[in-house]
Every structure is written in C-alpha cells, then in structure tokens.
Amino acid sequence: MATAYRSGWHFIDLVTAIPHSGDSLMVTVFGEPVVVTRDDDEDVRAYRCLRRPRGAPQPVRCAVRYGMIFVNLDQRDHRQVEADAPAPRTISATPRSA
C-alpha cells in the first residue's frame, strides 16, 4: 500500500504550465490550496492560501528541477519571513522524492 507524506518535496507541474511573468497555477496538495506563480524576475514561487484574518499568503518552499516544479509543505523546513526581509528566492535543489 502506498503512503503519502506531507513532509518532503511534492511534484506540482511542469514549468511550462506558467510560461510568462504574472502567470499562476492553483493546485490542492493534501487538502491545502497552493498557488504557484512566476514573478517579474522570472522566478517561480509558491504560496499556501490560508484563511486568516488579514492574512497574506504564506510562502512555501519551492524548487524547480529538470523543468518540474516541486513544493515542500513541511513546516519544520520553513524559515520565518521578516517583514523587512527580501522575498525568498527559488532554490535549485534535488527533491527527496525525485
């Protein structure tokens, strides 16, 4: 029997699904809505959409490897984002599930 884990890297889609800056893709990973976008710098970023009062989307670790987009929903792997800090950059690392 296959077991799915929330921790670790999960395949979302190919990078070609969001070819232009400003494009976005909404997916559901383990019941949580995740938005994957391409920003003006052509970086691919992912955000968890939580319903919080005045809540902005929460950044999720995102990696592009071999033309595929992966996200990591594990809270232990996340760093706190300071309000003054620049937005996190897309990392290029080999996902554990690949």
Side-chain angles (χ1 to χ4, degrees), residues 6 12 26 41-42 47-48 52-53 59 68 70 74 83 98:
R6 293 178 63 88
I12 298 298
M26 176 79 116
D41 297 331
E42 297 296 321
Y47 301 94
R48 178 182 286 143
R52 292 192 236 166
M68 298 179 283
F70 294 88
D74 191 0

Side-chain angles (χ1 to χ4, degrees), residues 25-80:
L25 176 67
M26 176 79 116
V27 296
T28 302
V29 181
F30 295 108
E32 295 185 28
V34 175
V35 176
V36 181
T37 64
R38 184 178 292 268
D39 63 9
D40 294 333
D41 297 331
E42 297 296 321
D43 288 335
V44 176
R45 300 179 192 275
Y47 301 94
R48 178 182 286 143
C49 298
L50 299 176
R51 294 183 182 181
R52 292 192 236 166
R54 301 182 193 169
Q58 179 185 13
V60 174
R61 289 182 63 195
C62 180
V64 175
R65 188 70 172 169
Y66 304 113
M68 298 179 283
I69 303 169
F70 294 88
V71 297
N72 189 338
L73 298 178
D74 191 0
Q75 290 292 328
R76 294 171 294 177
D77 289 345
H78 295 286
R79 291 175 279 134
Q80 290 291 336

Side-chain angles (χ1 to χ4, degrees), residues 81-86:
V81 177
E82 300 293 328
D84 301 340

